[in-house]
Every structure is written in structure tokens, then in C-alpha cells.
Amino acid sequence: MELLEVKGLKKYFPVKGGFLSKTVNYVKAVDGVSFNVKQGKTLGLVGESGCGKSTTGRTILRLYEPTEGAIYFEGIDIVTLDKEKLRAKRKDMQIIFQDPYASLNPRLTAGEIIGRAIDIHNIARGKERQRRILQLLDVVGLKREHYNRYPNEFSGGQRQRIGIARALAVNPKLIVCDEPISALDVSIQAQIINLLKDIQEQFHLTYVFIAHNLAVVKHISDDVAVMYLGKIVEMAEKDELFLRPQHPYTAALLSAIPIPDPSKKHSRIRLEGDVPSPINLPPGCRFATRCPERTSICDEVEPDLIDIGGHMVACHHRR
Amino acid sequence: MDTLLKVNSLKTYFYTIDGVMPAVDDVSFEVMRGETLGIVGESGSGKSVTALSIMRLVPHPPGRIVGGSINFKGDELLTKKEYEMRMIRGNKIAMIFQDPMTSLNPLFTIGDQIIEALVTHQDLSRREARDRAIEMLKLVGIPSPEKRVDDYPHQMSGGMRQRVMIAMGLSCRPDLLIADEPTTALDVTIQAQILELISEMKQKMNMSVIIITHDLGVVAEVADRVVVMYAGRVMEYGSVKDVFSMPLHPYTRGLMDSIPKIDVNEDRLKSIEGTLPTLTEKFKGCRFKDRCVMADRVCHEEEPPIVEIDNRQVRCFKYI
Ligand SMILES: Nc1ncnc2c1ncn2[C@@H]1O[C@H](COP(=O)(O)OP(=O)(O)OP(=O)(O)O)[C@@H](O)[C@H]1O
Ligand SMILES: Nc1ncnc2c1ncn2[C@@H]1O[C@H](COP(=O)(O)OP(=O)(O)O)[C@@H](O)[C@H]1O
Ligand code: SF4
Ligand code: SF4
Ligand SMILES: [Mg+2]
Ligand SMILES: [Mg+2]
């Protein structure tokens, strides 16, 4: 069953300028993105900084109002919900942020942070609330004595655990994980990835997992979507995508990963040229400025994302 | 190959209200001419402080170099006067910092900043320096350098700023380039370009490089030898080939195991449980003991010395 269906999602941010602060242009952060995620599965969302991953993640939860498009959660388009109904739905959809430092209130203890989440949706009170907080601390691998500590007394990995406990507090169905491990050390990253996998199984969670590390995405995802400048350029089941990358950008991305094995010197696809500004997109394919396979049609016509057999690709030369 | 830099028993401590923090504690390594040395370890293990010590830029107070020696081209750096160090910094030893935005001055064009460095260190007129600046920007792959030279830092993307930093670092043709996490903030495709650029420049100028990173993949790709640091100590030191094919120290092994590999399917990642200890001078035992799966009684009581086996140095009781 599809838990989440995103159709033609767009999010444009106005660019103000001039002396009356008029809107002079738009950053097309997300520009027509569609995908589905099945109950209990993980969709990995990868791409370079600024390509619109976080904006996609936040817009799905309506933390940003979409400019266009539909977001079906359990069959209901949440874009059409009023404030009250949306608030109730939010309980089912949570987010874990990239920066464990900035995303926790420094004036609340770990226990209070989790408690607040429980209170907002009226999940439990009194003794039951207390029991639940302690249980959540345990689930994410923290100790009872951590209850009364403040965020600055925790390491980055531990703070991320608090963020995970906070998200779990309301029994969500979907969690958008926005680069939950990017700010952490390699040895700590593995701890958090394992934790996320464990709780997914335990609580039947569905994830949209955002990252720019492809190896991490491969490890945790069932399907993977590759974004470039606000669009999905390739999407497939993960083994398919990693074994047979189709889009030239995906291929370059895969070949750029440094491999921690000096005996494997791999050939690298060299990308020349610069990433165009999301305010001033080229008329044709958005990847054309850097693409080694570009031809004249690429500069004129924007390629659609189409199914070429178990594999969605947006490239004129993969048809 | 002759030795360019020899760091011997370096100790850099921080004197804070919580006590004395041995951030770099008895660290030794060498860098040969034309060689790339990688320094890896998790954040807080003392990598940046080691680099700042070589540059003699440790913030004082609270930090101070309290022991050891740093020999550069046969000269002791630790006894140099500040004005002598100023002639070495940026000229003979250049450093690229972790965050290019904080180390470029937002108020000046990138051209002015490179020209400033050149006029200070080299006997060049401003005209010549401007030409050299444009030449360097071209070398690091900035498109239309004669126009971009007048850009301010905020007008460039993260990758371009990092290139400017490299152009600036290389403009005086240093003998040693220290790059502190030069690609951590960048995307993989840009990272690949920057790493390639550093290797290319190194070859063209017969320069030595120290690259600091927590990405073992980066070390495997660019470095000849590697120092693995943990809590202020060198835990393992050897050629990249040896260390990666057979890591000896339990920490190095744990680090390797915790990286998700793109070419293997594993159900669960191996991880190193726990976190870096809080260091004080009175710390007892091996600094890795609380996270080490092989720790036994002696590890909690004494600290292992660093020993040499098969052309490699390792600090662990299992090898004594
Ligand atoms: N609130 C905002 N106002 C204006 N522009 C924004 C806003 N948030 C994001 N953008 C722009 O939208 C684009 C996409 O940003 P987004 O944060 O979604 O990228 P990302 O893929 O998550 O990148 P990263 O990997 O760096 O986190 C960028 O060009 C960004 O500058
Ligand atoms: N200015 C400072 N004052 C106090 N402690 C510092 C200072 N700079 C670094 N340290 C401490 O020194 C240790 C090593 O830091 P650093 O070399 O920056 O680590 P990394 O390996 O991440 O580069 C850390 O515990 C850090 O908190
Ligand atoms: S459409 Fe053209 S420019 Fe775009 S990815 Fe395909 S070949 Fe490259
Ligand atoms: S000395 Fe003991 S605790 Fe330290 S790394 Fe070796 S086995 Fe582990
Ligand atoms: Mg983001
Ligand atoms: Mg550092």
C-alpha cells in the first residue's frame, strides 16, 4: 500500500529586490516532483547541496506551503486540509533534522523535549507520560540519568538520539529524515543508521531519507530518487539504480565517491562547468552545463522523467 | 626522498576552567618532499590543533605548545620569533581552513586578497601580483578568471570559494600545503574536482601536502601515508596501503568497519559504541579503552606506548 504519494510538487521561493522589495524572481527549489512511498519502506533522496531535498521534505509535511501539486497521505490530499485537520495529521508525520545542535531547545532537558512532543498531541498524561518518556529514552539508547540533562551536555550523536525519540513520541507513521547523520563522525554515523533501521522494523515506520552520501542511502533505502536542481532526474529500486545508473548525473555522482580502499583506483567521470543558479535555469536540460553527453537538443528541450522499464530517467539520450 | 617536516613529541595543551586538556599529546610524524600525509580521526581528536601548532597559530590563551619540536627544512619552528613565522606562513607553509567562508574576508574582492598575500611575501608589484592572481585562479579552474578576480566571496559558490582558497594557498608556491578538511562542506562531485586539483598542483610544484579529514575514502584516494589520531594521541601511523589493507589498531579497524560500502550489501553496519572520552591530564589507561571491544584489565590501568612493527607504528597492548 502506498502511504505517501506526491504528485507534481512545486515550491518556489520569492526573490525580493529593488527598492520597494518587490518580488523580482523565484528560486525554483522544487519544480515538479512526483514519487510514491509504500508503507514500511524507505525512499532515499539524494543530490547535491541546494538541489531541493530539504525543501521537498519540509513541503511534504506542509512545513512549507506548496506552490503547486498534491500530497496524498493515506489517500487524503493534505494540501487541501484546513489548519485543524492538518494539525491532527501532523501526528502521523514527523521530521528529524540535519543539525542536532540547532534543532533542540537548549533550555529544555532531554526529558522535557520528549515530553513536549507527547503533550502537543495529547498522547499521554501523568504517570503514563513519564513511563513513555523513559521508554523512549531506552528505545533510542539513552539512559534514565539523561532525562534531566540539557542538550549542551550531550554529544552530537546523543543529540540526534534525542531528536529521534522526540519524533517517535507521537507514534508517527512517516518520518522524514533530513540528513540525520551528515553532521556526525563516521563511527557515530553507523550507530545512528543502525538505530534508525531498528526502530523502523520495531514500529513499522515509513521513511523519506535525505542524504548526499550515496553509500548511506544505498544501505538504508528500498528505492532511490536522484535530484538535480529541483527535479528528480532518476528513480529506481536501489540495486537497479546502483548497478545500472542511467542518467549521466547519477553516473558521475557514483563515480565521484571516494572508495576507502587504495587498491581500487577507479576511473572517474570528470564534470566540468558550474552548477547553474536555481534562479536562472537553462531552458533545456538542467544538467546540460556539466553533462559530458550533451547534444544540441539538450539545450533546447527539457527532458521529462519517463519509465524506461523499471527505471525512471529524465534524459534525451536514454530513451 | 628527503624529509621536509618532522614533528617530534608535540604537545599542545589547553588551560581551561575545567582543567588542563591535552589536545595534542606526544604526536610525532614526518612529511617527505612531494609526499601527501593524511591525518584522520573523529572530531575533537586533535587534528586541527596539530595543524595550528605547525603554523604556530594555536589560540593563546587558552592554548599553548608545551613540548616537542617541529623541524621544517632543518629549522626549528618552535623557537622562531613571530616576525620570522610570518615570513614562513603563507609563503613556505600555506594552510587551507575548514570553512572557506570564515577564512576569506567578505569585505575585499578575492583578487585583492590574493594580491595582498603575494605583495607581502614575494617581491612583486601590484600589477604583477594581479596577473599572478588571475593565473592562479585559472589554474584552479575558475571560469573567466579575469572577471571573477573582482568578485566578492559571497558571489561565489562553496566549491568556487574553496578553489579560491587553494589558489591563495598556492600562489606563493609553498613547500607544504596543509588542508584542514578542504572538502567536508562540499558535494561529492565538487569534492572529486578539488582533490584532483590538489594532487595535480602537488605534482606540478613538487609540493608536500598534509590533508586532514575524517573521511577515510579521501585518505585512500590521495594520501601516501596516514596518521590515525584519537583523543590527542597517534594510534596508528603507516603507509596508506598497509593501514587500509590490514588495520592493526582496534580504533582504525572500527573506523573502517563503520563506513557503509557502496559495493557490498550488509544488513547492519558495524559501529564503534560510545564517544570520545573527556580528557584531563589525570586520564588513566588507554584512551580508547571505553569503546574498545578488546580492552582488558591492563588497558584500564596503564596506557600503551607507541611501538613499531613492520614499518608501522601502533599504540595498543595487543602488539606489545
Ligand atoms: N526559505 C527559503 N527562502 C528562499 N530560498 C530558499 C529557502 N529555503 C531554501 N531555499 C533555496 O532553495 C534551494 C533548495 O534548498 P534546499 O534547502 O531544499 O536544498 P538541499 O537539497 O536540502 O541542500 P543541502 O544538501 O545543502 O541541505 C536552494 O537554492 C536554497 O537556497
Ligand atoms: N580554542 C580552544 N580552546 C579550548 N579547547 C580547544 C580549543 N581549540 C580546540 N580545543 C580542543 O582541543 C581538542 C582537539 O580539537 P581539534 O584539533 O579542533 O579537533 P579536530 O580533530 O576535530 O580537528 C578538542 O577537545 C577541542 O575541544
Ligand atoms: S538530456 Fe542531454 S544534457 Fe541532459 S543529461 Fe541527458 S545527455 Fe546530458
Ligand atoms: S590498548 Fe587495550 S583498550 Fe587500547 S586499543 Fe589496545 S586493546 Fe583496546
Ligand atoms: Mg538540506
Ligand atoms: Mg578540525
Side-chain angles (χ1 to χ4, degrees), chain B residues 10-247:
Chain B
L10 178 69
K11 291 187 177 165
T12 306
Y13 290 5
F14 285 95
Y15 296 82
T16 68
I17 39 169
D18 298 330
V20 182
M21 225 284 294
V24 171
D25 209 3
D26 199 12
V27 163
S28 306
F29 57 81
E30 289 181 347
V31 184
M32 302 295 168
R33 232 173 234 291
E35 179 187 47
T36 299
L37 177 79
I39 303 182
V40 294
E42 50 200 279
S43 83
S45 57
K47 306 180 298 293
S48 298
V49 174
T50 301
L52 291 174
S53 304
I54 297 170
M55 298 293 280
R56 290 266 311 274
L57 287 174
V58 176
H60 170 73
R64 218 171 68 214
I65 299 176
V66 293
S69 80
I70 300 175
N71 193 294
F72 177 69
K73 294 171 100 176
D75 254 0
E76 176 57 48
L77 291 187
L78 292 187
T79 54
K80 288 244 182 291
K81 300 260 184 319
E82 177 54 27
Y83 75 87
E84 295 175 298
M85 275 315 294
R86 246 178 271 140
M87 292 319 294
I88 293 173
R89 263 182 233 135
N91 192 20
K92 302 230 163 65
I93 307 179
M95 182 156 170
I96 303 172
F97 292 89
Q98 212 156 334
D99 179 1
M101 207 47 203
T102 56
S103 36
L104 285 170
N105 189 330
L107 301 179
F108 293 94
T109 67
I110 54 157
D112 283 338
Q113 299 185 55
I114 304 178
I115 292 166
E116 195 53 44
L118 283 167
V119 175
T120 314
H121 292 302
Q122 313 250 312
D123 195 15
L124 291 178
S125 71
R126 285 198 84 81
R127 247 252 76 85
E128 290 167 324
R130 189 182 160 87
D131 290 343
R132 173 82 79 87
I134 292 172
E135 184 195 319
M136 291 312 298
L137 290 175
K138 188 168 178 191
L139 203 62
V140 297
I142 301 271
S144 26
E146 52 302 316
K147 281 204 213 91
R148 304 307 298 244
V149 69
D150 296 318
D151 275 4
Y152 288 89
H154 70 90
Q155 291 171 287
M156 307 194 122
S157 71
M160 275 158 95
R161 282 199 287 267
Q162 200 55 283
R163 280 160 194 266
V164 170
M165 286 300 297
I166 294 175
M168 205 183 291
L170 297 179
S171 60
C172 295
R173 304 185 186 278
D175 297 305
L176 175 65
L177 178 74
I178 304 178
D180 189 357
E181 313 244 7
T183 59
T184 304
L186 304 176
D187 293 311
V188 277
T189 56
I190 313 288
Q191 161 173 293
Q193 288 175 1
I194 298 289
L195 292 179
E196 213 165 284
L197 175 69
I198 292 178
S199 304
E200 208 180 290
M201 295 293 122
K202 180 189 113 169
Q203 250 150 35
K204 277 191 192 150
M205 301 183 176
N206 189 29
M207 178 176 75
S208 306
V209 177
I210 296 179
I211 186 158
I212 297 174
T213 169
H214 62 254
D215 188 337
L216 290 169
V218 169
V219 172
E221 300 234 334
V222 301
D224 303 302
R225 281 194 294 170
V226 58
V227 169
V228 181
M229 281 188 78
Y230 187 80
R233 293 283 200 214
V234 173
M235 291 303 190
E236 186 158 1
Y237 173 36
S239 81
V240 165
K241 210 166 121 262
D242 292 349
V243 173
F244 279 76
S245 64
M246 201 181 53

Side-chain angles (χ1 to χ4, degrees), chain A residues 4 21 105 136 141 147 151 155 179 197 199 220 223 232 236 241 243-244 291 307:
Chain A
L4 177 72
S21 270
N105 185 336
L136 283 162
Y147 188 101
S155 69
E179 309 226 23
K197 274 198 130 178
I199 60 170
I220 199 157
D223 295 305
I232 291 178
L241 186 115
L243 281 177
R244 282 175 288 277
C291 183
D307 196 333

Side-chain angles (χ1 to χ4, degrees), chain A residues 188-242:
Chain A
I188 312 294
Q189 287 185 359
Q191 296 175 1
I192 300 297
I193 295 173
N194 286 338
L195 172 64
L196 286 169
K197 274 198 130 178
D198 291 345
I199 60 170
Q200 176 168 41
E201 206 161 298
Q202 196 177 344
F203 301 104
H204 312 290
L205 297 170
T206 305
Y207 287 155
V208 172
F209 192 95
I210 299 172
H212 60 254
N213 181 326
L214 284 156
V216 168
V217 164
K218 180 170 180 220
H219 181 77
I220 199 157
S221 308
D222 298 294
D223 295 305
V224 177
V226 180
M227 279 187 82
Y228 192 78
L229 287 173
K231 291 229 156 165
I232 291 178
V233 296
E234 178 160 12
M235 183 158 58
E237 187 275 319
K238 85 162 165 209
D239 286 323
E240 172 66 22
L241 186 115
F242 282 89

Side-chain angles (χ1 to χ4, degrees), chain B residues 271-286:
Chain B
S271 70
I272 311 175
E273 293 307 317
T275 48
L276 209 65
T278 314
L279 279 186
T280 58
E281 263 189 323
K282 292 183 207 75
F283 195 89
K284 214 169 111 199
C286 172

